[in-house]
Structures are given as structure tokens and as C-alpha cells.
């Protein structure tokens, strides 16, 4: 048996100016689509970042061959959607 191997191929950075962790990464099971959807959130209750006016609530769809900028941003109707 071969030892496990992992390689980092691309880094997708949240375009928001306020740091927030990715909380969900989804992809289409057909490899030909080449897209991932990433949602972000701040999980700590009453975190100071939630009061920042620059805090984005957007999730993004990325083309896996271009990590420079997302294809589209998805904005929910509210922060608790």
C-alpha cells in the first residue's frame, strides 16, 4: 500500500476585508463543472467582527482553475438566512 499523499494546488481567499473562516465548501459531483461554492461565517456569539460595517455576508462560487477572484457572489436576504 502507498503512503497517503496530499498537494496544495490553489488557495481561494475570502474577498471580504474582515477575516472570517470558511464554514462550508461544496462542489458538483461532475468533475467537468470545475466549480466550488464556499460560504463563510463567524461562529463566535457576540464576536466583535459582527459589528464591523465592512463585514460581508456573501458566499462565493469559484472556478477551480482561477483562484484570483470568485465567479459570482451570493448575498443572503439577512445574516441569519
Amino acid at each position: 500500500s502507498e503512503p497517503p499523499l496530499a498537494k496544495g494546488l490553489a488557495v481561494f481567499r475570502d474577498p471580504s476585508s474582515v477575516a472570517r473562516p470558511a464554514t462550508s465548501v461544496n462542489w458538483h459531483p461532475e468533475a467537468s463543472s470545475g466549480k466550488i461554492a464556499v460560504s463563510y461565517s463567524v461562529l463566535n456569539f457576540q464576536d466583535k467582527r459582527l459589528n464591523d460595517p465592512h463585514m460581508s455576508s456573501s458566499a462565493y462560487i469559484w472556478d477551480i482553475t482561477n483562484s484570483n477572484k470568485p465567479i459570482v457572489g451570493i448575498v443572503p436576504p439577512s445574516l441569519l438566512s
Side-chain angles (χ1 to χ4, degrees):
S1 143
E2 294 182 28
L5 176 66
K7 292 182 181 181
L9 301 177
V11 175
F12 297 85
R13 297 196 189 281
D14 181 8
S16 174
S17 61
V18 178
R20 52 192 187 144
T23 53
S24 180
V25 177
N26 296 284
W27 59 93
H28 196 278
E30 295 179 15
S32 63
S33 73
K35 295 176 179 60
I36 59 172
V38 183
S39 62
Y40 305 85
S41 66
V42 175
L43 301 175
N44 296 330
F45 180 66
Q46 295 183 339
D47 190 297
K48 293 176 185 172
R49 292 175 289 181
L50 295 172
N51 295 325
D52 191 319
H54 302 296
M55 177 67 156
S56 173
S57 60
S58 297
Y60 298 99
I61 297 178
W62 298 84
D63 179 340
I64 61 171
T65 62
N66 181 5
S67 64
N68 295 326
K69 65 178 186 172
I71 297 171
V72 67
I74 302 168
V75 182
S78 71
L79 291 176
L80 296 175
S81 293

